[in-house]
Amino acid sequence: MKGTHLPIATLAIFAFATFFVSASDPSPLQDFCVAINSGLPGVFVNGKFCRDPKLVTAKDFFFSGLQIPRPTANPVGSTVTPANVEQIPGLNTLGISLARIDYAPNGGLNPPHTHPRASEVLVVLEGTLYVGFVTSNPDNKLISKVLNQGDVFVFPVGLIHFQFNIGPVNAVALAALSSQNPGVITIANAVFGANPPINPDVLRKAFQVDEKLVQYLQKQFWYNNS
Ligand code: MN
């Protein structure tokens, strides 16, 4: 009996492993592919053109200023400073990037959002953050924790997650992401701030609230913190 189950288990493990390999960005096909915004002279790879390797310099792999605190006086009380392929063209095709996140004292929030193309590892550099993510349907289990300086937390690819400064001082975190272009979908902005707006009947039924509340939410200014 055991023997008949083994090949199925092996297949399942293989399928599982293959899924996770293909869920991240494809491996680079060359040492690097420094992004340029025009196809001349270059080769189109992975959404960007590649600069002629002979013309590449250290500047293409460099970014500075991530030590600088950014203002957080905005409706959500947080500011994301990305360092991805848009800021560092040498990250193109390498499947990694960074972001600094500043949080205002007493309630600075990086609101619920997802990264369609990346998992995230967050390290708290200063302050105290309540962080969490929610698993997919049907469980929608909240996995959350309070983090202090030096603590690290993982947000798996695609899952809705947030960070909330519950301390009385500024908080700062550094996030590492498993894509050069992780993408961000801020849930409230995408749902209530879509342009053009989603038909209110859709949102009324989806959120099980009356039309006035939907209209109220759709009239809000949905701030983008990155
Ligand atoms: Mn994130």
Side-chain angles (χ1 to χ4, degrees):
M1 288 294 275
K2 255 187 172 175
T4 58
H5 283 85
L6 198 63
I8 295 165
T10 309
L11 254 179
I13 290 163
F14 180 75
F16 199 67
T18 306
F19 172 78
F20 281 103
V21 166
S22 59
S24 63
D25 287 331
S27 300
L29 302 173
Q30 58 288 306
D31 284 351
F32 52 77
C33 169
V34 173
I36 54 174
N37 287 323
S38 140
L40 289 174
V43 180
F44 187 87
V45 174
N46 225 21
K48 294 277 186 188
F49 298 102
C50 302
R51 188 182 299 284
D52 180 343
K54 289 194 268 307
L55 304 176
V56 162
T57 67
K59 192 162 66 73
D60 294 313
F61 302 93
F62 178 74
F63 180 84
S64 71
L66 223 51
Q67 86 286 10
I68 300 166
R70 299 270 306 279
T72 54
N74 61 55
V76 291
S78 74
T79 298
V80 177
T81 307
N84 59 43
V85 69
E86 295 305 317
Q87 292 77 32
I88 310 175
L91 281 177
N92 197 34
T93 75
L94 299 185
I96 53 169
S97 60
L98 285 178
R100 176 195 168 110
I101 312 161
D102 289 282
Y103 310 84
N106 300 309
L109 173 69
N110 190 17
H113 65 277
T114 82
H115 304 289
R117 292 178 290 277
S119 295
E120 174 176 343
V121 190
L122 182 115
V123 55
V124 179
L125 302 180
E126 290 169 31
T128 305
L129 296 174
Y130 164 62
V131 309
F133 65 84
V134 179
T135 67
S136 53
N137 300 356
D139 293 345
N140 299 137
K141 183 179 178 183
L142 173 66
I143 309 281
S144 70
K145 189 156 178 61
V146 172
L147 305 182
N148 293 297
Q149 189 176 52
D151 289 350
V152 173
F153 204 76
V154 175
F155 305 107
V157 60
L159 300 187
I160 295 176
H161 60 281
F162 60 84
Q163 302 102 32
F164 190 54
N165 183 2
I166 56 172
V169 295
N170 289 316
V172 184
L174 194 65
L177 296 127
S178 62
S179 169
Q180 68 268 8
N181 181 21
V184 187
I185 303 167
T186 305
I187 308 306
N189 302 35
V191 172
F192 297 110
N195 182 26
I198 297 173
N199 184 321
D201 291 339
V202 171
L203 300 180
R204 183 174 57 75
K205 193 157 270 182
F207 288 86
Q208 301 282 300
V209 295
D210 67 44
E211 193 160 345
K212 281 210 169 64
L213 181 51
V214 168
Q215 284 165 353
Y216 170 82
L217 288 167
Q218 287 187 313
K219 267 187 241 152
Q220 300 308 301
F221 173 72
W222 293 100
Y223 181 77
N224 178 5
N225 71 341
S226 58

